[in-house]
Amino acid sequence: DGLEVPPMPEDKASQMREAAEAIGLRVHSVIYGGWEAPLSSADPAVIRKGIQGVEGALRAASKLGADAVLLVPAVVTAETGYADAYQRSQGNIRNLIPLAEELGVVITVENVWNKFLLSPIEFARYVDELESEHVQAYFDIGNVVLFGFPEDWIRTLGSRTKKIHLKDFKREGYQWTNLREGDVNWPEVMRALEEV
């Protein structure tokens, strides 16, 4: 239970934490999408903006009492190839690890429709290569239904997973649905979660 919020100034984060705690809620993570300033860009100005954004999100998370920042790590485009996106984003995340460690916040890499981390084996490898307990996976169940099976991803990611988004998706008609109305095999997903 809890809230997931966008980045905000540290003073506002402190106020939000007090307000949330006053009504019995907890902020569990801060979302830093990474779409507008991806850590995979070749443009130094875009990278600076992205790094500053993640740093701000980490600081806000610390003030909020949140234990994680959700990060879209890279975006593959016609201009940014897959290998470049992989190497650049990992290099930039490595530079953020010391601040994450200092603040006690985990950078959680999420699988989204960014043409990146397209298999559970690769996602696991990507996290492992960063060699830090302050970089883990934020697994989105619905986002893999088109090209995989969430229960397989859960088992492959194993203990690398810090947080999970629960969503459902229907392949036929290509649409998001309410939970249990799409193609996610929820009993098997729950078994996989219990296993790991």
Side-chain angles (χ1 to χ4, degrees):
D1 292 341
L3 303 171
E4 191 166 70
V5 300
M8 62 190 68
E10 290 181 63
D11 59 338
K12 185 176 178 186
S14 296
Q15 293 170 359
M16 179 174 270
R17 179 178 185 170
E18 289 175 20
E21 288 175 351
I23 59 172
L25 287 176
R26 176 181 166 277
V27 177
H28 71 84
S29 63
V30 173
I31 301 170
Y32 179 76
W35 291 97
E36 292 181 7
L39 298 181
S40 52
S41 176
D43 184 339
V46 172
I47 293 298
R48 275 193 302 278
K49 182 178 177 184
I51 293 285
Q52 289 170 352
V54 179
E55 289 173 343
L58 287 166
R59 288 190 178 93
S62 178
K63 292 290 185 186
L64 286 159
D67 60 0
V69 166
L70 181 159
L71 174 65
V72 174
V75 181
V76 174
T77 66
E79 295 77 30
T80 301
Y82 207 105
D84 288 334
Y86 196 100
Q87 293 166 354
R88 289 178 194 149
S89 62
Q90 276 192 333
N92 288 310
I93 291 171
R94 278 190 187 94
N95 292 333
L96 290 159
I97 290 172
L99 180 61
E101 290 174 346
E102 176 189 327
L103 297 172
V105 177
V106 176
I107 298 168
T108 53
V109 175
E110 189 183 26
N111 57 299
V112 296
W113 290 355
N114 53 346
K115 300 177 175 52
F116 189 63
L117 301 180
L118 299 175
S119 84
I121 293 171
E122 182 186 11
F123 195 172
R125 182 181 302 132
Y126 185 88
V127 171
D128 288 347
E129 288 172 352
L130 287 162
E131 299 179 315
S132 173
E133 64 184 18
H134 284 84
V135 179
Q136 296 181 32
Y138 201 134
F139 179 61
D140 188 306
I141 289 172
N143 283 352
V144 301
V145 173
L146 274 179
F147 48 87
F149 300 91
E151 57 272 22
D152 179 41
W153 285 64
I154 291 165
R155 290 182 175 110
T156 302
L157 289 171
S159 62
R160 298 168 187 86
T161 302
K162 173 80 171 166
K163 296 198 180 279
I164 293 176
H165 271 154
L166 299 176
K167 292 192 324 209
D168 211 334
F169 189 84
K170 193 160 192 61
R171 293 180 191 101
E172 185 179 333
Y174 197 78
Q175 61 184 334
W176 298 107
T177 68
N178 293 324
L179 295 181
R180 302 181 68 191
E181 294 177 6
D183 291 321
V184 172
N185 181 341
W186 288 105
E188 193 58 33
V189 162
M190 294 309 296
R191 275 191 287 277
L193 288 171
E194 288 168 5
E195 288 172 21
V196 302

